Amino acid sequence: MSSIKENIESFNQFGLSDEIIKAVKEIGYETPSPIQIKTIPVLVAGSDIIGQAQTGTGKTAAFALPILHNIDVGSRALQAIVLTPTRELAIQVAEAIHSYAKYLKNVRVLPVYGGQSIFQQVKHLRSGVQIIVGTPGRIMDHIRRETIQFSELKMVVLDEADEMLRMGFIDDVEWILSHTPKERQTALFSATMPKEVRRIAERHLQDAVNIEIERKTLTVPAIKQFYINVAESQKTDVLTKILEAESTDEVSVLVFQRTKMGCDKLVDKLKARGYSVEAMHGDMNQNQREAVIKQLKAGKVEIVVATDVAARGLDVDRIGIVINYDMPGDTESYVHRIGRTGRAGRTGKSILFVTPRQIRMKRD
Ligand code: AMP
């Protein structure tokens, strides 16, 4: 791997096509992020990779651009699959790939996940799709039904492998990998590296290049972080004051709540105070969640109150402020939460509510 350049400063230096570079620049990425500098040359060269990195580092583009570089647009056969732990992430990764492919002709990307009509998916698959982004369960379904064929598959990406492990999908992931051609290229991304994830890498990757993106590149400087000491009983009032002070015409606000019930309660209270606000949590079905994301993107909803699970992978440029109404369970979910703002090179702000009992937790 000595031929791989470390001193890359521009997207032009990766050897990607003009069409890909044009799309990336148009989206507003000026320079590649550290994970992109390390990953793109390895994947373009055809090697396997194990990347330890979290959301917010730019890892989607780090694997998406090489996928687009490597596929043969002259063929309609399936050439790359990306496995993700959740439907939300599948949709967002598929959208990202779609946006990077804007100037490439004849590239088709399909998100595939449970909860959506399988017949609809089969119809799309039959028409010829080169890239599939999906959750393991539904992809297994399609393999069994033989509605997905891997004969031309060149590349597999496992995104958030530790999350797939945590959600109990790791055997499914192995099963899928065992059905793919041996000659494929594999990229595994994971925020943490538990031994089960390492084992997958050992069994299914070949001569993989290891890369690690340090935690300090995580909290993007574009996000300004604040905290407020507040008594539990005063949280709603303080939240309303913040909402009054911030202009929600330009940006949307994402409020985190620990529980579904908490979400619904807060939504009711805010509605009563005249805000356009929606909840997003695990009790809502896919269509309901997608409707909320759509409204959020269109600026029709000012505030979304969400649980951690529902908001995972949420990538909406409009989100300018993240409010941690409830203290997150650990520092990792804090980083995930505030990473919902400051997207696509924009600036964001995060505010943490700290009750007297939580002052010690805040220091972490
Ligand atoms: P990800 O870690 O893939 O979820 O990406 C986090 C955010 O960073 C997304 O909103 C991307 O659109 C954005 N992003 C990715 N690469 C770059 C880049 N090179 N410059 C600026 N923003 C980027």
Side-chain angles (χ1 to χ4, degrees):
M1 287 295 115
S2 56
S3 62
I4 284 172
K5 288 182 270 179
E6 280 282 331
N7 54 346
I8 286 180
E9 285 161 5
S10 145
F11 280 103
N12 298 339
Q13 291 168 279
F14 292 124
L16 300 167
S17 69
D18 293 345
E19 288 85 353
I20 296 177
I21 292 168
K22 185 174 172 195
V24 163
K25 295 209 165 147
E26 206 177 276
I27 292 166
Y29 302 171
E30 284 168 3
T31 51
S33 69
I35 192 173
Q36 291 160 359
I37 290 171
K38 288 189 174 167
T39 305
I40 295 174
V42 175
L43 290 178
V44 165
S47 299
D48 286 0
I49 201 163
I50 303 170
Q52 188 162 357
Q54 309 217 4
T55 332
T57 49
K59 79 178 149 63
T60 312
F63 62 76
L65 304 184
I67 288 180
L68 291 172
H69 178 81
N70 289 342
I71 62 167
D72 170 10
V73 293
S75 158
R76 277 285 178 102
L78 175 63
Q79 296 168 53
I81 58 166
V82 181
L83 298 180
T84 66
T86 64
R87 315 158 183 195
E88 284 78 14
L89 191 59
I91 294 170
Q92 264 153 29
V93 169
E95 275 178 7
I97 298 177
H98 186 77
S99 69
Y100 305 139
K102 181 173 174 192
Y103 295 107
L104 290 170
K105 291 212 173 67
N106 303 321
V107 173
R108 308 204 40 208
V109 192
L110 185 71
V112 160
Y113 45 85
Q116 200 187 30
S117 151
I118 195 150
F119 300 106
Q120 197 67 24
Q121 286 173 356
V122 170
K123 216 169 92 187
H124 281 292
L125 288 168
R126 282 221 185 96
S127 69
V129 171
Q130 295 110 334
I131 307 162
I132 287 178
V133 187
T135 48
R138 185 51 72 95
I139 288 192
M140 283 172 79
D141 268 2
H142 284 290
I143 296 174
R144 290 205 189 94
R145 287 166 186 256
E146 297 182 6
T147 40
I148 283 182
Q149 270 96 32
F150 284 154
S151 53
E152 304 291 318
L153 191 79
K154 295 192 230 174
M155 201 164 162
V156 177
V157 177
L158 311 179
D159 196 11
E160 300 197 355
D162 53 350
E163 213 34 45
M164 292 200 271
L165 168 72
R166 202 179 63 78
M167 295 175 71
F169 298 155
I170 212 75
D171 292 340
D172 298 353
V173 170
E174 284 225 78
W175 189 89
I176 294 167
L177 284 171
S178 69
H179 282 73
T180 59
K182 280 226 161 49
E183 295 309 308
R184 60 155 208 276
Q185 184 182 14
T186 314
L188 182 155
F189 292 93
S190 202
T192 58
M193 285 291 166
K195 62 176 189 305
E196 295 87 343
V197 171
R198 284 249 163 249
R199 203 175 313 138
I200 295 261
E202 278 159 22
R203 274 195 209 144
H204 298 276
L205 275 64
Q206 283 172 19
D207 302 324
V209 175
N210 275 282
I211 64 144
E212 196 173 331
I213 295 302
E214 287 174 32
R215 270 166 185 271
K216 67 173 188 279
T217 57
L218 260 177
T219 44
V220 211
I223 305 173
K224 291 209 180 85
Q225 302 174 48
F226 302 90
Y227 74 91
I228 300 176
N229 288 317
V230 50
E232 192 66 48
S233 59
Q234 290 171 342
K235 280 184 176 176
T236 314
D237 286 338
V238 172
L239 176 62
T240 317
K241 291 229 169 67
I242 294 171
L243 295 173
E244 276 163 16
E246 302 285 348
S247 157
T248 50
D249 303 338
E250 295 287 310
V251 298
S252 307
V253 180
L254 179 62
V255 182
F256 278 101
Q257 266 280 0
R258 216 171 23 239
T259 63
K260 296 168 196 166
M261 230 171 66
C263 275
D264 288 335
K265 268 196 194 153
L266 187 59
V267 166
D268 284 344
K269 280 190 201 163
L270 292 174
K271 274 194 178 151
R273 294 180 188 210
Y275 291 100
S276 61
V277 48
E278 294 294 338
M280 210 159 108
H281 54 61
D283 275 357
M284 295 162 64
N285 68 30
Q286 189 55 25
N287 288 343
Q288 290 170 319
R289 286 196 226 180
E290 274 170 38
V292 174
I293 293 176
K294 220 182 224 166
Q295 284 179 291
L296 187 62
K297 283 189 173 160
K300 287 183 184 147
V301 164
E302 297 166 274
I303 307 158
V304 170
V305 183
T307 56
D308 287 290
V309 176
R312 215 167 219 289
L314 191 67
D315 186 2
V316 177
D317 296 347
R318 272 189 66 90
I319 298 174
I321 305 166
V322 167
I323 296 180
N324 287 283
Y325 192 91
D326 277 340
M327 179 84 83
D330 49 43
T331 48
E332 226 163 78
S333 57
Y334 175 76
V335 171
H336 268 291
R337 283 181 174 192
I338 70 167
R340 296 311 106 214
T341 184
R343 313 295 282 183
R346 297 188 186 204
T347 54
K349 191 190 287 185
S350 80
I351 301 170
L352 173 68
F353 283 5
V354 185
T355 62
R357 282 170 49 200
Q358 296 168 325
I359 288 172
R360 259 194 38 214
M361 277 174 77
K362 186 201 83 197
R363 254 178 261 140
D364 292 338

